[in-house]
Amino acid sequence: MIEFAALTYGMLTSFVLSSLRRNQAARRPHPPMLRHVGYMLCGMSAGACAILTGTALSALLT
């Protein structure tokens, strides 16, 4: 299950970043849905970072 989530996250991130780069090169505005998905991915990355940091610190302190 983790493998599927990681693959989906990676593919979605790759799609969003390449779409944003293509839109910026063509000087077109970004679609709202693409922007929302990008913010969602940013939030998921920050949340995963916080959870993993907390897990590492709790393992270190015990």
Side-chain angles (χ1 to χ4, degrees):
M1 188 69 175
I2 295 294
E3 295 85 6
F4 176 73
L7 178 66
T8 303
Y9 178 83
M11 295 294 283
L12 191 59
T13 302
S14 175
F15 172 75
V16 167
L17 290 176
S18 65
S19 296
L20 291 174
R21 188 176 328 122
R22 191 174 342 115
N23 285 343
Q24 186 176 13
R27 301 206 186 277
R28 288 185 303 213
H30 305 304
M33 184 58 126
L34 187 65
R35 195 174 322 129
H36 293 311
V37 171
Y39 283 133
M40 180 204 60
L41 289 171
C42 183
M44 285 177 51
S45 296
C49 177
I51 290 171
L52 291 174
T53 301
T55 304
L57 286 176
S58 70
L60 184 66
L61 296 176
T62 58

